[in-house]
């Protein structure tokens, strides 16, 4: 728990709960247990919420996501993911759970790698975004690149214009493009980040 204090004091305002393995907080989407939040995990999530830290449930097991949604009143993010019905990958949580995240005001970042979208071409990434918008509403979809160097993507940050061009080709409105390409993320953080 002291590490939450340290990280907060160092300026961290978004915290993830799991990565590739189950941990003391609860189960990972990639782990073996499928477990929800542990007692320690519940305490940590409550402390994060008390401090208005944005909780990122990317990589968390579906049960952890359900537990977090039941425990906190603040919206959460899934910073980098795909959508299960658009890409039936172990990396993606169910559409129904994504809808619960969106209904609670959350934000879903669509990733650019095969494990999230099954085909990492700009055309397919944009098709996934269209599916996510139709499923969740345009206000809940954002970019979720995962430009961390450990996954293979078709373009780097300098190639984001490819997504905009593809959105135009696929009939996205200007308002939808603006929201997905940055306004949703900006508005979410302006509303959710602590003021101090």
């Amino acid at each position: 728990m002291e590490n939450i204090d340290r990280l907060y004091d160092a300026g961290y305002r978004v915290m993830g709960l799991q990565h590739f393995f189950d941990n003391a907080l609860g189960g990972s989407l990639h782990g073996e247990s499928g477990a929800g939040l542990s007692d320690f995990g519940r305490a940590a999530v409550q402390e994060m919420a008390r401090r208005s830290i944005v909780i990122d449930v990317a990589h968390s097991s579906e049960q952890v996501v359900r537990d977090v949604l039941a425990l906190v009143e603040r919206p959460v993010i899934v910073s980098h993911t795909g959508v299960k019905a658009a890409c039936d990958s172990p990396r993606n949580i169910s559409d129904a759970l994504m809808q619960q995240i969106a209904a609670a005001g959350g934000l879903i970042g669509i990733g650019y790698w095969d494990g999230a979208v099954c085909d990492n071409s700009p055309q397919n990434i944009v098709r996934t975004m269209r599916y996510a918008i139709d499923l969740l509403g345009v206000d809940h979809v954002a970019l979720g690149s995962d430009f961390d160097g450990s996954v293979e993507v078709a373009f780097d940050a300098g190639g984001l214009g490819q997504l905009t061009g593809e959105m135009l080709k696929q009939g996205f409105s200007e308002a939808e493009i603006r929201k997905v390409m940055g306004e949703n993320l900006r508005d979410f953080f302006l509303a959710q980040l602590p003021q101090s």
Side-chain angles (χ1 to χ4, degrees), residues 17-23 25-38 56-69 78 90-94 97 101:
L17 303 177
Q18 282 81 28
H19 199 227
F20 285 118
F21 304 99
D22 299 339
N23 63 22
L25 299 174
S28 164
L29 193 56
H30 321 276
E32 297 178 1
S33 70
L37 288 171
S38 64
D56 182 5
V57 294
H59 293 286
S60 295
S61 73
E62 290 207 357
Q63 190 56 53
V64 164
V65 176
R66 288 186 199 95
D67 290 348
V68 170
L69 290 174
V78 189
R91 178 60 181 82
N92 298 333
I93 62 175
S94 70
L97 193 49
I101 292 167

Side-chain angles (χ1 to χ4, degrees), residues 3-15:
N3 285 331
I4 294 173
D5 294 335
R6 289 190 192 102
L7 291 169
Y8 185 89
D9 291 344
Y12 285 79
R13 297 297 183 265
V14 178
M15 294 185 186

Side-chain angles (χ1 to χ4, degrees), residues 83-84 86-89 92 113-121 124 128:
V83 187
K84 191 78 166 178
C87 175
D88 189 6
S89 161
N92 298 333
W113 76 101
D114 287 347
V117 292
C118 290
D119 162 11
N120 67 0
S121 68
N124 191 61
T128 301

Side-chain angles (χ1 to χ4, degrees), residues 105-117:
L107 191 64
I108 289 88
I110 301 300
Y112 308 161
W113 76 101
D114 287 347
V117 292

Side-chain angles (χ1 to χ4, degrees), residues 15 50 67 130 186 190 194 196:
M15 294 185 186
R50 185 186 72 77
D67 290 348
R130 174 83 270 157
R186 177 201 66 196
L190 285 174
S196 58

Side-chain angles (χ1 to χ4, degrees), residues 86-150:
C87 175
D88 189 6
S89 161
R91 178 60 181 82
N92 298 333
I93 62 175
S94 70
D95 287 20
L97 193 49
M98 286 289 203
Q99 288 174 312
Q100 290 178 41
I101 292 167
L107 191 64
I108 289 88
I110 301 300
Y112 308 161
W113 76 101
D114 287 347
V117 292
C118 290
D119 162 11
N120 67 0
S121 68
Q123 295 81 7
N124 191 61
I125 293 166
V126 170
R127 278 194 291 272
T128 301
M129 290 175 176
R130 174 83 270 157
Y131 181 86
I133 288 169
D134 292 344
L135 179 71
L136 308 169
V138 70
D139 294 331
H140 302 285
V141 180
L143 304 179
S145 65
D146 203 16
F147 284 148
D148 68 357
S150 68

